[in-house]
Amino acid sequence: MGAYVVGGAALKIDRHFELGYKDLAYRVVRDCPECSDVDYVIVASALPELSAHQVDLGIHVVQWIGRRVPALRVESGESSGLAAVDLAASLVSSGRARRVLVLGVEKVTEYPTYTANYFYSLTLDYEYEVLRGISPPAYAALAMKELMNSGVRRECFSGWAIRMHENAVSVPHAMLRFKISLESFKDSQVLAEPLTLYDSFASGDGAAAVVVSSKPNEGDSSPEIVYSGAEVGLPAYLRDRVSDLTASVGLLRRAAERLGLDLRRAAVELHDSYTVYPIAILKGLGYLDDRCDLGGFEYLNLSGGLKARGHPVGATGVYQVYEIFKLMTDGLGGRTAPAEYGLAHSMSGPDNSSRVVVLRR
Amino acid sequence: MRLSPQQFWRIRENQYRLFITVCGSCGRKAILKRPVCPYCGSDRVHHVESSGLGVLESFTKVYYRRNSSEDDLPKFIGVVRLTEGVRVVGEIVGVGADELREGMEVEAVLRRYASDDPYGVIYYGIKFKPV
């Protein structure tokens, strides 16, 4: 039995001080007509225990939005969203469910930024990385230095950020809908040399929904989930190079080979928590030389990516699938991607885990 | 932050000393005393203790705040190649930015990791300083 994406919705990623987890979930479901007829709910969220003192979020969300269907929460760090879509496809394909609502929701602004930074750092190993002072931007900076030492120019990373901001301008739910320039980097706050705030994802609250169904919508071309896979990498401190993102590169290569998919022709959403990671991945796949010419990619992170659309940690993968669904159907911010395939890629930490979901029109 | 004396006591060996796991199957070595080889999954492993001496291969100056105080910023996070050939990532202390350079010899020292409050639990563990 197939699994099709038949609808969805997304809230603007922002500092929603007036909305909690349950409120965000309700708002996005309210905006999603397809979300009403479902027999299972999967909530994707990484931080509720930390930021809202809440366990069993799946059940509490379902009760709040007035559904009486089985529910659970999926947590796999930054890749929680794609893990939830993967599980939804399995439930539908196996006949265990008919229509699954995948609801990504996250609050990252409940505390001051330094506390949010601490929560986000816990995607690393608490005992052997976090306690030792290691943080996600420290790894990203070490990875960036490695690439720069091997000939990649600093402008490659800045160029990624500039392109993401350009893409986000027309995306209604993107957090940072403005352009930046190379000049912007000169005054940008340093997170970990040589990495700056402008190399980092936009941090905001968000909620996105997609409905995964055993049948396509009548009379339209609902894209089918034709691949979903995951791979686990080594901890960054055990690799020869921090920038060797072998889990992501291997998984993307496998997905492309299995489907005969060319990333340059597909609607692709790559995980770009820091600008260094998509560059490292595309170099690892052999698409980029040291000049980082991205011109060959037709539909690359048209959402603006984590960089500019934003990264509500555990909800991000659901945003990605929603965006690809929109690009392949009635459009996202006035743009469509008339591609055969759409691919969402997510990872948690510096490639600790990697996930890919592929849709075909 | 809420620190747990129990949790830290349980992991004290890997925080207070530098152990290396040596795999009897694939022959690779990895930092930390581990029950299985992280590279091949074999449990045919034994453990040796590092001399604590090594070379700083790379480092970054970090301004990323994770607590309410900026007292410990900026900090230096570095990749150290131990003389036993194993890499470890940790904080570099006792040196200024203009003195730090790649290729510098460093040694492991015991320093404070974290504390709950002025009267709370304090965690200590391995950091590195120039020799």
Side-chain angles (χ1 to χ4, degrees):
Chain A
M1 197 179 297
Y4 301 85
V5 179
V6 297
L11 294 187
K12 184 176 190 304
I13 297 170
D14 214 331
R15 297 182 179 90
H16 290 289
F17 296 123
E18 77 288 8
L19 300 174
Y21 274 96
K22 298 192 292 291
D23 307 313
L24 288 166
Y26 170 67
R27 291 284 180 101
V28 75
V29 168
R30 189 186 63 183
D31 296 343
C32 172
E34 301 87 357
C35 294
S36 56
D37 175 25
V38 296
D39 59 350
Y40 214 107
V41 175
I42 301 175
V43 172
S45 189
L47 306 174
E49 291 91 344
L50 296 162
S51 60
H53 310 281
Q54 186 64 68
V55 298
D56 206 4
L57 184 69
I59 298 303
H60 294 292
V61 161
V62 162
Q63 289 175 335
W64 192 253
I65 64 175
R67 301 287 196 280
R68 290 292 178 89
V69 298
L72 55 78
R73 170 184 158 224
V74 166
E75 191 275 308
S76 186
E78 293 176 86
S79 61
S80 301
L82 283 197
V85 173
D86 184 4
L87 178 59
S90 297
L91 290 175
V92 165
S93 299
S94 67
R96 176 71 179 77
R98 181 179 56 84
R99 278 167 72 98
V100 179
L101 167 61
V102 183
L103 192 48
V105 58
E106 198 74 275
K107 287 291 297 178
V108 297
T109 64
E110 297 285 51
Y111 292 90
T113 301
Y114 61 79
T115 306
N117 290 346
Y118 175 70
F119 293 164
Y120 177 64
S121 295
L122 294 172
T123 53
L124 304 179
D125 183 327
Y126 170 72
E127 293 179 343
Y128 299 120
E129 292 176 313
V130 178
L131 277 179
R132 294 176 178 215
I134 303 168
S135 56
Y139 274 139
L142 292 169
M144 189 181 274
K145 281 184 77 171
E146 287 173 1
L147 291 188
M148 289 169 70
N149 288 339
S150 67
V152 178
R153 295 164 56 221
R154 180 67 177 83
E155 289 73 19
C156 285
F157 311 112
S158 319
W160 177 274
I162 290 166
R163 180 167 168 147
M164 292 305 105
H165 275 261
E166 285 173 359
N167 285 348
V169 168
S170 64
V171 176
H173 60 261
M175 185 171 184
L176 305 180
R177 300 180 63 186
F178 56 84
K179 293 184 181 181
I180 60 170
S181 67
L182 209 51
E183 286 294 305
S184 315
F185 279 80
K186 291 180 180 163
D187 300 321
S188 178
Q189 179 188 338
V190 175
L191 296 181
E193 290 177 346
L195 188 93
T196 74
L197 189 64
Y198 277 39
D199 292 298
S200 171
F201 63 89
S203 189
D205 308 322
V210 295
V211 176
V212 178
S213 171
S214 58
K215 292 179 182 168
N217 286 335
E218 273 187 39
D220 79 15
S221 53
S222 311
E224 182 178 5
I225 297 174
V226 290
Y227 182 91
S228 62
E231 185 145 330
V232 174
L234 281 170
Y237 64 87
L238 287 182
R239 299 176 205 152
D240 291 334
R241 287 160 56 91
V242 176
S243 58
D244 285 344
L245 308 182
T246 54
S248 287
V249 170
L251 184 60
L252 285 162
R253 184 173 286 140
R254 246 191 345 271
E257 285 174 359
R258 182 185 292 190
L259 299 167
L261 179 161
D262 184 342
L263 288 182
R264 291 167 297 193
R265 307 282 90 84
V268 174
E269 288 293 325
L270 278 186
H271 183 98
D272 58 340
S273 50
Y274 298 102
T275 54
V276 59
Y277 292 138
I279 299 298
I281 289 168
L282 293 176
K283 275 186 70 67
L285 287 167
Y287 284 117
L288 292 187
D289 60 18
D290 290 344
R291 292 181 298 107
C292 302
D293 180 6
L294 296 167
F297 289 86
E298 293 185 31
Y299 316 111
L300 181 58
N301 283 26
L302 291 184
S303 69
L306 283 64
K307 174 70 201 80
R309 170 244 289 126
H311 182 29
V313 190
T316 298
V318 185
Y319 273 90
Q320 290 176 315
V321 173
Y322 167 74
E323 288 154 356
I324 287 170
F325 164 73
K326 294 294 281 182
L327 285 165
M328 295 177 80
T329 54
D330 56 345
L332 177 68
R335 282 182 297 185
T336 57
E340 183 182 5
Y341 289 105
L343 181 149
H345 159 260
S346 179
M347 64 184 201
S348 192
D351 205 40
N352 281 335
S353 73
S354 175
R355 294 180 184 277
V356 162
V357 169
V358 180
L359 275 58
R360 183 171 60 201
R361 93 169 46 247
Chain B
M1 192 188 295
R2 292 179 182 173
L3 302 183
S4 160
Q6 290 88 340
Q7 181 179 20
F8 205 78
W9 182 248
R10 193 166 57 241
I11 60 175
R12 64 192 181 282
E13 269 196 309
N14 273 329
Q15 304 294 17
Y16 295 154
R17 298 161 73 182
L18 270 178
F19 282 103
I20 294 166
T21 296
V22 183
C23 182
S25 293
C26 72
R28 294 193 70 173
K29 295 189 280 190
I31 194 66
L32 300 177
K33 183 180 274 192
R34 302 164 176 275
V36 297
C37 171
Y39 298 105
C40 74
S42 170
D43 60 1
R44 287 185 54 231
V45 295
H46 71 275
H47 305 108
V48 296
E49 187 162 6
S50 166
S51 65
L53 297 172
V55 171
L56 182 63
E57 286 194 337
S58 181
F59 66 90
T60 174
K61 188 178 183 181
V62 179
Y63 294 88
Y64 186 70
R65 277 182 72 190
R66 295 195 306 199
N67 58 50
S68 58
S69 165
E70 291 185 330
D71 291 349
D72 61 343
L73 295 180
K75 66 170 74 175
F76 298 98
I77 297 296
V79 180
V80 173
R81 173 82 61 182
L82 297 172
T83 52
E84 293 83 3
V86 172
R87 293 168 91 226
V88 56
V89 179
E91 188 174 346
I92 316 298
V93 296
V95 63
D98 47 352
E99 305 162 79
L100 207 57
R101 55 181 168 73
E102 290 166 3
M104 176 180 263
E105 291 185 356
V106 295
E107 63 180 344
V109 289
L110 206 59
R111 291 288 184 272
R112 191 172 72 168
Y113 276 174
S115 62
D116 253 346
D117 59 55
Y119 311 105
V121 176
I122 301 175
Y123 288 172
Y124 292 92
I126 297 286
K127 297 184 182 181
F128 292 88
K129 74 174 184 64
V131 174

